[in-house]
Amino acid sequence: MVRVMDSTAPKLKTKSVGIIGAGISGLSCAKTLTQAGFIVELFDKGRNVSGRMATRRNDDSEFDHGAQYFTATDPEFKKEVAKWVNTGVAQLWTPDISVFGDKQSTKTTDHVERFVGIPNMTTPAKFISMGLSINLNTTIESICIRPQSYPRWSLKSKENGTLKSSFNTVISTIPAPQATKIFKDFSPVLTGITQDVKMSGTWAVMLNFNEKVDLKFDAAFVNKGPLRWIAKNNSKPERGSNETWVLHATSEWSELHLDSPAEDVADLLIKEFLGLGGSLPDQHQTHLWRYAEATPPLDMTFAWDKENNLGICADWLHKGSVEGAWLSGRKLAENIIQSLSERDPLKNFYSPYR
Ligand SMILES: Cc1cc2nc3c(=O)[nH]c(=O)nc-3n(C[C@H](O)[C@H](O)[C@H](O)COP(=O)(O)OP(=O)(O)OC[C@H]3O[C@@H](n4cnc5c(N)ncnc54)[C@H](O)[C@@H]3O)c2cc1C
């Protein structure tokens, strides 16, 4: 006897997921869900995927002005990074790193394996994004419940108002203060987490030189004053030969200068670079990462409101790093796959056509 499926049962629709943000966490979540048969759509306010794994171009130079490199300690992430390396979108970077403490500079011998995207930091995210459905230039301002409808969630964007697609599940990967606004009318579970997360800014300055800078290292951790990290961008593989440096300020200094004019910030940070032995650049640009990092990141991996099918994955829930963000997305996806299959009304219903 052939048993016929209940045609009103929302099999496919239970698997529709909207993801706000196409950084590494949103992409890793989307990829895992898609591979499990979910129908996933991503929305990002940017012109491209990859979020804070970012690259800025000027004339014929490029700068990794967000994430500088990534490390891999988790076995699953190590496998993913090996895939990136084999595909040619990532490589090891083995810089000479100095450490500036209160007194003097020393070389670090931390034996950490540092990877970078090839030829810039956006390529691992672009690699994951292949085959996914992504809406760029789409800033999600709110989510709404569709009365008497299924799937129940829709999204509203700044650019196009209420969007056509609707979803059974919505996931946010955006900074905690913005996630609070999106979930505040619907999920006390999630806003109970997001509202206490403090996220700090980071000022970045990108420097171009016509001549080589006379510093005896490729990068330095700076444990004094306003700077915390400086790196010769073109010491990374496949960055070309133009002499380029990136400076990052500490989160404390950046927070105190959030409203300072970019030119004042650049002047102050370049002066610090000179103090470390650097030279005056021929050109420079600045960028403020308004929500660069959670101080400190939570230790939750992801957050899931199972009553409402709403979730969050992001680096600020796990380690505050590229690896943490990728794992956060992956683990949330696995949780959703399991949680929805437990509730699937057709789970124990036999049909040869399923
Ligand atoms: C200056 C700096 C240096 C760093 N250095 C390192 C490092 O060396 N090593 C390391 O491992 N990590 C580093 N990080 C951290 C690393 O970049 C992040 O952990 C990781 O990229 C975060 O990924 P994510 O997907 O969680 O968030 P994001 O990459 O921020 O992705 C979120 C996405 O959401 C989008 N978005 C935001 N609001 C909306 C909205 N309303 N609607 C639609 N889309 C929206 C954004 O455009 C973005 O693409 C650094 C970060 C910064 C800022």
Side-chain angles (χ1 to χ4, degrees):
M1 185 183 77
V2 172
R3 294 156 90 185
V4 179
M5 278 201 300
D6 172 4
S7 62
T8 60
K11 182 180 175 237
L12 270 182
K13 288 183 172 178
T14 59
K15 293 190 161 188
S16 60
V17 182
I19 301 184
I20 309 170
I24 202 77
S25 63
L27 291 167
S28 120
C29 188
K31 197 74 174 188
T32 309
L33 289 171
T34 304
Q35 284 165 349
F38 283 67
I39 296 174
V40 182
E41 218 176 316
L42 291 123
F43 302 87
D44 201 292
K45 67 178 183 179
R47 274 179 296 155
N48 227 321
V49 301
S50 80
R52 279 170 281 157
M53 291 179 79
T55 297
R56 172 78 72 88
R57 287 168 193 83
N58 82 347
D59 298 333
D60 53 353
S61 299
E62 282 195 337
F63 298 88
D64 302 329
H65 65 312
Q68 294 296 293
Y69 59 83
F70 47 91
T71 51
T73 54
D74 174 88
E76 275 187 87
F77 188 60
K78 277 184 168 177
K79 252 199 229 166
E80 178 74 8
V81 171
K83 205 195 296 174
W84 298 349
V85 170
N86 288 336
T87 321
V89 296
Q91 245 183 61
L92 263 181
W93 174 44
T94 50
D96 265 345
I97 300 189
S98 274
V99 181
F100 287 92
D102 287 336
K103 294 203 174 93
Q104 63 197 46
S105 92
T106 49
K107 290 262 178 195
T108 168
T109 47
D110 57 12
H111 304 296
V112 172
E113 279 196 325
R114 297 180 168 86
F115 295 89
V116 293
I118 295 294
N120 61 50
M121 283 304 275
T122 67
T123 49
K126 286 179 178 158
F127 172 68
I128 303 179
S129 76
M130 275 161 32
L132 296 175
S133 166
I134 304 174
N135 303 272
L136 297 171
N137 302 308
T138 308
T139 312
I140 303 302
E141 291 189 320
S142 56
I143 59 172
C144 346
I145 288 188
R146 301 161 71 235
Q148 317 289 322
S149 305
Y150 198 91
R152 68 194 289 222
W153 296 112
S154 61
L155 306 178
K156 206 166 172 186
S157 81
K158 188 166 114 191
E159 296 81 4
N160 298 309
T162 304
L163 303 177
K164 277 196 213 120
S165 311
S166 54
F167 305 99
N168 181 60
T169 299
V170 173
I171 293 168
S172 164
T173 73
I174 66 183
Q178 296 170 339
T180 303
K181 285 188 200 147
I182 282 186
F183 289 134
K184 72 178 182 334
D185 295 332
F186 306 106
S187 178
V189 171
L190 296 182
T191 47
I193 296 165
T194 56
Q195 68 196 2
D196 294 329
V197 177
K198 163 128 181 54
M199 295 199 70
S200 308
T202 295
W203 274 104
V205 184
M206 294 150 267
L207 310 176
N208 282 71
F209 299 87
N210 295 337
E211 304 285 327
K212 255 178 91 49
V213 174
D214 188 22
L215 284 170
K216 304 276 177 280
F217 51 81
D218 300 316
F221 294 106
V222 187
N223 297 325
K224 58 172 187 177
L227 288 173
R228 75 161 166 201
W229 167 259
I230 61 177
K232 176 174 168 169
N233 204 71
N234 62 309
S235 69
K236 298 178 181 179
E238 300 199 25
R239 264 48 179 190
S241 55
N242 290 351
E243 183 83 3
T244 47
W245 283 75
V246 171
L247 319 180
H248 282 162
T250 63
S251 56
E252 296 80 10
W253 190 92
S254 300
E255 282 290 301
L256 288 174
H257 292 81
L258 287 182
D259 299 322
S260 302
E263 265 319 297
D264 294 356
V265 167
D267 286 350
L268 288 163
L269 295 181
I270 289 170
K271 206 183 269 176
E272 293 294 321
F273 181 63
L274 298 179
L276 299 177
S279 37
L280 268 180
D282 295 288
Q283 280 180 52
H284 67 267
Q285 304 175 62
T286 47
H287 179 81
L288 173 62
W289 292 100
R290 177 63 195 86
Y291 296 112
E293 61 180 333
T295 41
L298 304 184
D299 191 13
M300 293 186 68
T301 310
F302 62 84
W304 175 237
D305 175 351
K306 70 173 183 209
E307 298 307 319
N308 292 303
N309 285 349
L310 297 173
I312 305 179
C313 57
D315 70 327
W316 52 265
L317 283 163
H318 198 41
K319 296 184 177 180
S321 64
V322 171
E323 175 173 31
W326 185 89
L327 283 166
S328 176
R330 169 79 161 224
K331 298 288 172 200
L332 174 60
E334 288 170 358
N335 181 76
I336 291 172
I337 293 164
Q338 192 188 359
S339 148
L340 292 190
S341 83
E342 275 162 11
R343 282 186 277 157
D344 184 346
L346 300 175
K347 192 176 150 202
N348 298 316
F349 184 88
Y350 171 75
S351 162
Y353 301 123
R354 258 192 108 194

